[in-house]
Amino acid sequence: MHSTFKAQFTLFISCFILLLANGLINLLLPVRMSLDGAGIDTIGMVLSLYFVGMLLGALLSINLIKRAGHIRVFAGCVALAAIAILICSLYTEPFVWGAMRLVTGFCNACAFTAMESWLSSSSTKETRGKTLGVYNAVLLGGLFSGQFFMNLADPTDTTLFVVAGILLCAAVIPLVLSRNPGPIIEEVSSMSLRALYKISPLGVVCCFVSGMIYSASFNLLPIFAGQYNIVDFELSLYVGTAILGAFILQFPVGYLSDRYDRRTVLFGLLIISALADLAIPQFAKVDNLLGVFTATAITCGIIACTYPLSISEAFDRLRQNQMVAAMGAMIFTFAAGGVIGPYAASVVMNTFGSVFLFYFLALIQLLLAGFVIYRMTVRKALPIEDQESFVMQGAEFFSGVDLDPRTEFIEPEKKLSVEEEITLSIAESDPASAVKMTQVITKHNPTIGLNIAKAVAATESVNVLRLHEVLKDTIPEKIIDVTRALITAQPELADELIQQLAQWYPEQMVQMVIAIAHSLPELRAEIISVLLKLAPEAVTKIKTDYAAMLVEERQTIRPADRTPAVILR
C-alpha cells in the first residue's frame, strides 16, 4: 500500500497544483468580466463553453492518449490551458474568452483522463478505493485553496492571469520528471444513453439536473456575491465555503444513502437544498453574512452530492461489467447539463436580478424532487442491503471512473518482460526450445514461469499438452495453477488437459478440477461436464460441491448480476 501511494505521489502533486490554478481561474474570470461591464447573460455563455470543451475532451481524450501517451497529453494539454489563460490577459473580448474557456475545458478533460487512467493502472483491486479517496481530497483541496490566490493582486490587472499561467506550467513539472512510465490505455466499450435510461431513468435525469445546477451555482456565485458587496477576501472565503460544503456533506449524505432508500434520501436533500436557496436572498437583504455563507454551504454541498447519488442510483440497476461503459453516458449527460446550466441561470439573473440565481436553483431542484416522487410510484425500492454503496465523486472533473471500487476490476495489461519476449520469439521458430526455456525459468521463478507458460501456450506452434507435462514435473506443487493457466490460454484443450490431470492424480482429481472450475466461471460448465465423464462414480459429490459453490457465490453476488445458474444434468 505504501509503495503504491509513493509511486502516485508525483501525480497527486501535479493534480493539486493544477487544481490550484483552476480554483483561481474559476473565480477570476466571472469577477473580471463583471468588473469590465459584461452582461450576466454574456458571462453565463462564456462559462457554459467550458463544459462544451469538457464534453469534447471526454470524447477525444482516449484516442489522444493512445496516440501520444499519458505524459505528452498531460503536458501538452496543461501547457495549452496556460496559453489560453494568458491570452485572456491580453484580450477582454467575450468571444475570445469564450473560445479560451472552451479550450480550457477540453484541456482539463484530457489532462484528468490521463491522470485518472494512470492512477487506475497503478492501483490494485484492494487499493483503488483508497486511491480514489485521496484523489478526491486532492481535487477539492486544490480547488478550495485556489480561491485565495485572488487576493494576491487586483483582478483588473494582468497579474492574476500570469499567476494562473505559472501554476499551470508548474503542474507539469512533477509529472514529466517522474520515473514512472505511462500505462497501456485500455479500450472501453460505451453504453448508449437510451439503453441507460431504460435501466435507470432516475439516474440519468438526476445526472443531467446535477450538471445544470452544479455548473450554474459554482460558476455564478461570484456574480451574486458582487451584487451584495462580497468582494476580495470575503469573496474567496464565500466560494471556498461552498467548496468546503461540497466536501463535508458527502460524508453524512453517503451514510444516509447507504442505510435508507436512496430515492427517499435524495428527495429529502432536494427539499432541504431548495429551502436553503430560498433563505439565501432573505439573509442577503439584511446583510446576514453568516446566514448567507451557511445556507450557501448547505445548498452547494447538496448540489455536489446529486452527481454521486445519480451514479449510485444507476449502479443499483446495472450489472458490474456494465458500469464503466455506462459512465460514458453519465459523463455526457452531466456535461450536457453543464452546458445549459450557467447560460440558463444567467438569463434568469439578467432578467430578474442576480438574486434569482437561487430561485432558479430551487425551482430546478423541486422539479427533480417531483420526478423522484414519480419514480417511487412506478418502481419498488431495492432492499437496503442490495443497494450499491455511495462513493464520493468529484463532479466537475468526473473523477475516478476506473478507480471506483464498485466497478469491475480488470487487471491492467502489462508490457511483456524480457524473458517473455525472448521465449515468445523462440516459440515461433523452435517450439521445443521455448518449452525448455519455460521450464528453466519456471524452476527459478514459478510466478514468472506461469506467466510465460500462459503466453507460450497461446501460440499455435507449441504443444500445450507436452508443456503441461513438463511443468508438472517442474513444479508439481503448483499443478492446479499450471492447468488453470493453460486452460485460460487454450480453452478448447480443457478436455484433454483435465484428462491428463486425471491420469496423474486420480485420487485428488475431483478436488483439483473443482478448484480450477471455481476460478474459471466462464468455463465452469464445460470443466464440470468433463469431470462427470471422467468420474461418474463421484457424481453425487461433484454435484454437491458444484451446488455449494454456486450458493456461496450467489450470496456474495450483486442482485443485478444474478442470472440463472447452469444446471447440471
Side-chain angles (χ1 to χ4, degrees):
M1 183 70 186
H2 175 73
S3 60
T4 299
F5 283 110
K6 184 178 179 181
Q8 296 168 346
F9 183 71
T10 53
L11 257 73
F12 289 134
I13 293 296
S14 288
C15 176
F16 183 77
I17 299 173
L18 178 59
L19 265 295
L20 283 177
N22 276 279
L24 171 59
I25 292 168
N26 290 346
L27 188 55
L28 173 61
L29 293 186
V31 169
R32 175 62 183 271
M33 293 180 74
S34 181
L35 293 173
D36 288 344
I40 297 177
D41 54 342
T42 301
I43 296 173
M45 176 62 76
V46 169
L47 298 178
S48 288
L49 288 171
Y50 174 84
F51 287 90
V52 175
M54 287 209 77
L55 183 56
L56 293 174
L59 295 173
L60 302 176
S61 56
I62 296 297
N63 288 331
L64 284 176
I65 294 171
K66 290 175 70 175
R67 179 185 302 176
H70 290 69
I71 293 178
R72 289 190 181 92
V73 167
F74 180 84
C77 287
V78 175
L80 183 57
I83 293 171
I85 193 62
L86 292 175
I87 287 176
C88 289
S89 71
L90 300 175
Y91 305 96
T92 58
E93 288 80 1
F95 174 78
V96 175
W97 280 34
M100 293 304 100
R101 198 64 183 141
L102 187 150
V103 169
T104 302
F106 176 84
C107 292
N108 275 339
C110 293
F112 277 86
T113 299
M115 285 202 299
E116 289 164 14
S117 60
W118 196 333
L119 285 172
S120 176
S121 68
S122 61
S123 300
T124 64
K125 186 175 183 179
E126 292 73 27
T127 63
R128 60 183 182 148
K130 294 180 180 178
T131 300
L132 178 61
V134 174
Y135 180 58
N136 276 311
V138 170
L139 287 179
L140 291 169
L143 275 177
F144 176 81
S145 303
Q147 314 297 318
F148 297 93
F149 280 82
M150 275 290 291
N151 302 285
L152 294 178
D154 189 335
T156 59
D157 193 13
T158 60
T159 303
L160 292 177
F161 292 91
V162 175
V163 170
I166 291 172
L167 288 172
L168 288 170
C169 292
V172 176
I173 297 172
L175 196 58
V176 298
L177 294 182
S178 170
R179 294 180 181 179
N180 298 325
I184 298 173
I185 193 82
E186 302 288 342
E187 193 69 46
V188 178
S189 59
S190 59
M191 176 183 290
S192 71
L193 186 58
R194 177 180 294 181
L196 180 58
Y197 182 82
K198 288 181 178 179
I199 296 171
S200 178
L202 179 57
V204 172
V205 172
C206 183
C207 191
F208 177 78
V209 172
S210 175
M212 282 187 65
I213 58 181
Y214 182 93
S215 60
S217 58
F218 282 89
N219 279 282
L220 296 173
L221 276 181
I223 305 302
F224 163 80
Q227 295 294 316
Y228 288 90
N229 203 33
I230 302 174
V231 296
D232 301 329
F233 181 76
E234 279 188 348
L235 175 60
S236 297
L237 194 61
Y238 180 52
V239 179
T241 300
I243 295 172
L244 190 63
F247 177 72
I248 292 175
L249 282 186
Q250 297 221 23
F251 295 98
V253 168
Y255 177 86
L256 292 171
S257 72
D258 287 345
R259 285 160 178 78
Y260 301 96
D261 175 19
R262 183 163 287 129
R263 298 174 302 178
T264 303
V265 172
L266 176 60
F267 175 80
L269 290 172
L270 291 170
I271 297 300
I272 293 171
S273 183
L275 292 174
D277 287 326
L278 297 175
I280 291 171
Q282 310 310 316
F283 288 130
K285 287 179 183 178
V286 296
D287 293 327
N288 185 344
L289 288 185
L290 179 61
V292 171
F293 278 45
T294 303
T296 300
I298 291 172
T299 187
C300 288
I302 292 175
I303 285 171
C305 289
T306 56
Y307 177 69
L309 279 170
S310 69
I311 300 299
S312 296
E313 170 64 23
F315 278 11
D316 284 343
R317 317 289 176 180
L318 291 166
R319 293 180 181 273
Q320 193 174 42
N321 59 11
Q322 295 175 317
M323 289 179 176
V324 173
M327 283 302 299
M330 297 293 278
I331 288 172
F332 176 87
T333 303
F334 182 89
V339 172
I340 296 171
Y343 183 67
S346 67
V347 170
V348 171
M349 294 168 71
N350 194 54
T351 304
F352 301 104
S354 61
V355 75
F356 272 77
L357 167 64
F358 294 102
Y359 295 134
F360 171 82
L361 295 174
L363 175 61
I364 298 299
Q365 289 178 93
L366 290 174
L367 290 174
L368 177 58
F371 187 73
V372 172
I373 292 295
Y374 164 71
R375 292 305 307 170
M376 292 173 71
T377 62
V378 298
R379 175 181 275 181
K380 291 183 179 179
L382 282 175
I384 304 303
E385 61 273 12
D386 289 344
Q387 289 186 164
E388 276 295 340
S389 58
F390 177 94
V391 172
M392 180 186 293
Q393 294 277 355
E396 188 173 353
F397 298 103
F398 317 125
S399 61
V401 173
D402 293 328
L403 289 171
D404 195 318
R406 298 168 298 186
T407 60
E408 186 177 31
F409 180 74
I410 300 175
E411 189 73 33
E413 183 182 345
K414 297 179 180 178
K415 295 181 180 179
L416 294 176
S417 65
V418 175
E419 294 92 340
E420 288 174 317
E421 289 181 349
I422 294 174
T423 309
L424 285 175
S425 63
I426 292 174
E428 297 296 333
S429 57
D430 191 352
S433 295
V435 171
K436 290 180 181 178
M437 180 173 284
T438 303
Q439 182 183 24
V440 172
I441 295 172
T442 303
K443 186 179 295 184
H444 176 69
N445 189 322
T447 302
I448 295 178
L450 283 172
N451 291 334
I452 293 176
K454 185 176 178 180
V456 168
T459 62
E460 295 181 0
S461 54
V462 170
N463 185 330
V464 177
L465 298 179
R466 172 58 183 162
L467 178 61
H468 192 211
E469 186 175 351
V470 167
L471 293 180
K472 186 265 294 186
D473 295 333
T474 306
I475 47 172
E477 71 281 1
K478 291 186 176 291
I479 188 60
I480 292 178
D481 296 329
V482 170
T483 308
R484 182 190 299 117
L486 299 185
I487 289 177
T488 302
Q490 293 283 6
E492 64 275 10
L493 295 179
D495 193 331
E496 296 172 73
L497 289 166
I498 291 171
Q499 287 186 40
Q500 276 191 334
L501 197 65
Q503 292 172 6
W504 298 332
Y505 305 97
E507 294 182 359
Q508 295 87 27
M509 174 188 60
V510 173
Q511 294 89 336
M512 287 182 169
V513 176
I514 287 289
I516 293 170
H518 194 285
S519 58
L520 296 175
E522 66 279 4
L523 299 172
R524 184 175 295 159
E526 299 164 25
I527 292 172
I528 296 296
S529 296
V530 173
L531 180 59
L532 287 171
K533 294 176 184 177
L534 293 173
E537 72 283 356
V539 62
T540 302
K541 175 175 173 50
I542 294 170
K543 289 189 174 183
T544 300
D545 290 348
Y546 181 72
M549 184 195 312
L550 294 178
V551 170
E552 179 186 349
E553 290 185 350
R554 192 169 181 81
Q555 289 174 345
T556 59
I557 201 169
R558 300 174 60 256
D561 288 322
R562 291 174 184 163
T563 55
V566 177
I567 303 299
L568 293 177
R569 298 185 183 278

